[in-house]
């Protein structure tokens, strides 16, 4: 590895850790930074990530060396930028790039940090992140009225949720240190599955599975629960398949589910997908899905259509 690539790798690792830390403590940090008058600092990781991507882009131009994947992504971004400028204007385009900055940073930084991604490092950092997220879960469960719960701050005349406070059947959804129960649930799923995968002991893996499952259920995030159970089942069955072609066929299942999930919002635009929910149990389990099917997704697509972007 060249000296400059090693330096870029070290910078990428530091930024990656900062990204994860800011995400885990997002709710607490927004509350604390706003109280001391520097709430803008919460956006520094994204700004640093975009600066890193720009650096990689300039280095690639200087060396006349571009990876195939980077070229494909650049062409896709160029096309999206052209469409965005045509239909929505410069502000929406810049906001789109800003929102996609974590993905862009991850994509461009991976070649520089992969040498640091040993099995041992991945397990240790994921375990630390998981324990931190679970600590936030426990604190929020024991003390439902933490100071950052439901906190709202203002930037440029716009009110922004520091942490979402919402209730399901008089039960307050637990968000831990993050911005809401949805964020905490997916943190537990992501880091938990990594730790679960690298765990050597079957007994410890089973205990960890029960802990993660309980924590996800307490966040009341049904999608996170389905993802966690689905990935756990797929991974457990995958390691028991010996033939290569069967493994490849088996790996198509998540892809088919992803395609179905992407198609569902489009189907809801022209079709009546009311589920006819009446009982309280059904509302708890399927209420949010029905709301998306009959309100959120159709209205979102209709808004895009009304702006002439379809």
């Amino acid at each position: 590895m060249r000296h400059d690539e090693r330096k870029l790798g070290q910078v990428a690792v530091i930024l990656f850790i900062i990204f994860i830390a800011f995400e885990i403590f997002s709710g607490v940090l927004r509350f604390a930074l706003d109280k001391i008058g520097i709430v803008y600092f919460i956006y520094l990781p994204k700004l640093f990530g975009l600066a890193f991507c720009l650096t990689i882009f300039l280095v690639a131009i200087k060396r006349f060396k571009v990876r195939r994947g980077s070229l494909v992504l650049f062409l896709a971004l160029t096309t999206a930028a052209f469409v965005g400028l045509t239909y929505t204007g410069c502000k929406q385009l810049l906001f789109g790039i800003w929102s996609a900055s974590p993905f862009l940073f991850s994509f461009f930084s991976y070649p520089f940090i992969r040498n640091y991604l040993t099995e041992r490092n991945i397990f240790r950092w994921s375990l630390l992140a998981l324990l931190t997220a679970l600590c936030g879960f426990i604190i929020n469960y024991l003390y439902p009225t933490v100071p950052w719960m439901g906190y709202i701050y203002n930037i440029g005349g716009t009110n922004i949720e520091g942490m979402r406070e919402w209730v399901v059947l008089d039960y307050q959804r637990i968000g831990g240190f993050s911005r809401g129960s949805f964020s905490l649930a997916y943190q537990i799923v992501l880091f938990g599955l990594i730790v679960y995968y690298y765990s050597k002991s079957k007994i410890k893996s089973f205990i960890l599975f029960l802990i993660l499952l309980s924590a996800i259920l307490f966040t009341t995030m049904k999608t996170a629960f389905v993802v966690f159970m689905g990935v756990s089942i797929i991974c457990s069955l995958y390691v028991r398949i010996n033939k290569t072609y069967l493994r490849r066929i088996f790996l198509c299942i998540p892809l088919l589910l992803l395609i179905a999930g992407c198609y569902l919002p489009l189907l809801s635009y022209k079709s009546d997908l009311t589920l006819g929910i009446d009982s309280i149990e059904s509302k708890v389990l399927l209420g949010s899905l029905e709301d998306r099917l009959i309100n959120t997704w159709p209205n979102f697509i209709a808004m895009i259509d009304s702006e002439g972007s379809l």
Side-chain angles (χ1 to χ4, degrees):
M1 182 184 292
R2 296 173 55 169
H3 178 70
D4 55 346
E5 291 182 351
R6 188 180 297 108
K7 289 293 185 182
L8 286 172
Q10 293 172 354
V11 172
V13 169
I14 294 173
L15 289 179
F16 187 77
I17 293 174
I18 293 175
F19 257 112
I20 298 299
F22 267 64
E23 183 61 28
I24 293 175
F25 292 99
S26 182
V28 177
L29 285 174
R30 290 169 190 270
F31 170 78
L33 293 176
D34 185 54
K35 288 298 183 181
I36 60 179
I38 52 173
V39 70
Y40 289 98
F41 278 33
I42 195 68
Y43 303 108
L44 284 180
K46 285 188 176 182
L47 185 62
F48 290 152
L50 288 175
F52 182 86
C53 294
L54 180 60
T55 302
I56 299 302
F57 180 73
L58 295 176
V59 170
I61 293 177
K62 181 181 179 181
R63 296 180 181 174
F64 295 100
K65 183 180 178 181
V66 180
R67 292 186 300 136
R68 184 180 302 175
S70 299
L71 182 60
V72 172
L73 179 61
F74 176 75
L75 293 175
L77 290 175
T78 302
T79 303
F82 176 77
V83 174
L85 287 173
T86 302
Y87 290 104
T88 61
C90 183
K91 290 183 178 180
Q92 188 63 33
L93 171 63
L94 293 176
F95 181 76
I97 296 175
W98 177 259
S99 301
S101 58
F103 165 74
L104 296 175
F105 169 73
S106 301
F107 182 87
F108 286 110
S109 65
Y110 173 73
F112 299 94
I113 66 175
R114 60 186 173 188
N115 293 325
Y116 299 91
L117 296 178
T118 62
E119 180 177 321
R120 188 176 183 181
N121 287 338
I122 293 175
F123 177 79
R124 285 184 172 183
W125 285 108
S126 298
L127 179 60
L128 177 60
L130 176 62
L131 292 176
T132 305
L134 289 176
C135 284
F137 166 83
I138 294 172
I139 291 174
N140 196 183
Y141 179 77
L142 296 176
Y143 304 98
T145 58
V146 289
W148 56 89
M149 175 66 73
Y151 188 75
I152 297 176
Y153 61 97
N154 187 283
I155 292 182
T158 301
N159 290 329
I160 302 174
E161 282 184 327
M163 179 180 182
R164 179 173 298 180
E165 182 179 14
W166 48 356
V167 177
V168 176
L169 297 178
D170 296 328
Y171 174 77
Q172 181 174 284
R173 289 182 163 182
I174 299 174
F177 297 133
S178 61
R179 296 196 69 185
S181 59
F182 49 89
S183 182
L184 174 63
Y186 287 115
Q187 289 169 20
I188 295 174
V189 169
L190 175 61
F191 300 123
L193 286 174
I194 294 175
V195 174
Y196 179 77
Y197 177 80
Y198 284 110
S199 180
K200 305 297 183 182
S201 171
K202 292 184 178 180
I203 297 178
K204 291 180 180 179
S205 297
F206 180 71
I207 295 174
L208 176 64
F209 178 83
L210 294 179
I211 293 174
L212 297 178
L213 186 62
S214 302
I216 294 171
L217 287 174
F218 272 102
T219 65
T220 69
M221 289 301 299
K222 297 175 285 294
T223 306
F225 171 77
V226 172
V227 171
F228 178 74
M229 292 298 298
V231 174
S232 300
I233 293 172
I234 290 174
C235 290
S236 299
L237 295 177
Y238 180 78
V239 296
R240 289 172 171 78
I241 299 176
N242 296 322
K243 296 183 179 181
T244 304
Y245 74 94
L246 288 178
R247 284 192 167 194
R248 291 177 179 176
I249 294 175
F250 192 75
L251 288 177
C252 291
I253 296 177
L255 179 61
L256 293 175
L257 294 176
L258 177 63
I259 294 174
C262 294
Y263 179 69
L264 196 58
L266 298 176
L267 183 64
S268 67
Y269 181 49
K270 294 296 184 180
S271 306
D272 183 10
L273 300 180
T274 304
L275 301 179
I277 296 175
D278 296 321
S279 64
I280 295 179
E281 293 81 4
S282 299
K283 289 181 180 180
V284 172
L285 294 174
L286 300 173
S288 59
L289 175 61
E290 184 180 48
D291 182 63
R292 289 181 176 90
L293 290 172
I294 64 178
N295 293 314
T296 306
W297 291 336
N299 292 338
F300 176 73
I301 297 176
M303 180 186 68
I304 296 176
D305 190 20
S306 66
E307 296 294 331
S309 298
L310 287 180

